[in-house]
Amino acid sequence: MGFFSKTVFFALFGVGGLLSIFYFFNAVNLIHSIIFIGSGKKSEAIIFLCATLVEVVGLYFAYTNMTNSGEYATAIGILIASIVLSIVVVFIGLFFFNGPLHWQ
């Protein structure tokens, strides 16, 4: 059971890391397009930066919990919660705080 929990932890840690990198570079790309091109919404960049912050804090707490106590199950729960919470932040932010949707 220890090998399985370690494998799941490191897989989720990798997914969380890749998700945080994706959110961060998406925010940087939006900021770049706002500054240099003049198009884009500032709210989208802020939403993705908030999601990055949520994900990085979750990764930090999961890693410190795993190294201090060695309980991989708790760290897996923290990782799952941070991944789900960051996705919820993005969806709620983009649907409710981004202004009206324009499909054209």
Side-chain angles (χ1 to χ4, degrees):
M1 192 66 174
F3 176 75
F4 178 70
S5 62
K6 287 180 184 179
T7 305
V8 170
F9 170 77
F10 286 115
L12 285 174
F13 196 82
V15 167
L18 288 174
L19 196 60
S20 65
I21 290 171
F22 170 74
Y23 289 150
F24 178 72
F25 282 119
N26 198 358
V28 168
N29 187 20
L30 288 169
I31 292 170
H32 176 268
S33 67
I34 290 168
I35 292 173
F36 293 111
I37 300 172
S39 66
K41 295 182 179 179
K42 293 178 188 174
S43 62
E44 290 180 3
I46 293 170
I47 290 165
F48 282 115
L49 285 176
C50 289
T52 303
L53 181 67
V54 167
E55 189 63 39
V56 169
V57 167
L59 289 173
Y60 172 74
F61 281 135
Y63 182 75
T64 55
N65 185 18
M66 188 270 306
T67 55
N68 291 337
S69 65
E71 295 180 7
Y72 285 95
T74 308
I76 288 170
I78 293 171
L79 285 173
I80 290 172
S82 68
I83 289 171
V84 169
L85 187 62
S86 68
I87 292 171
V88 166
V89 164
V90 168
F91 278 122
I92 288 176
L94 290 179
F95 285 132
F96 294 115
F97 299 114
N98 200 22
L101 294 174
H102 298 288
W103 296 102
Q104 299 167 348

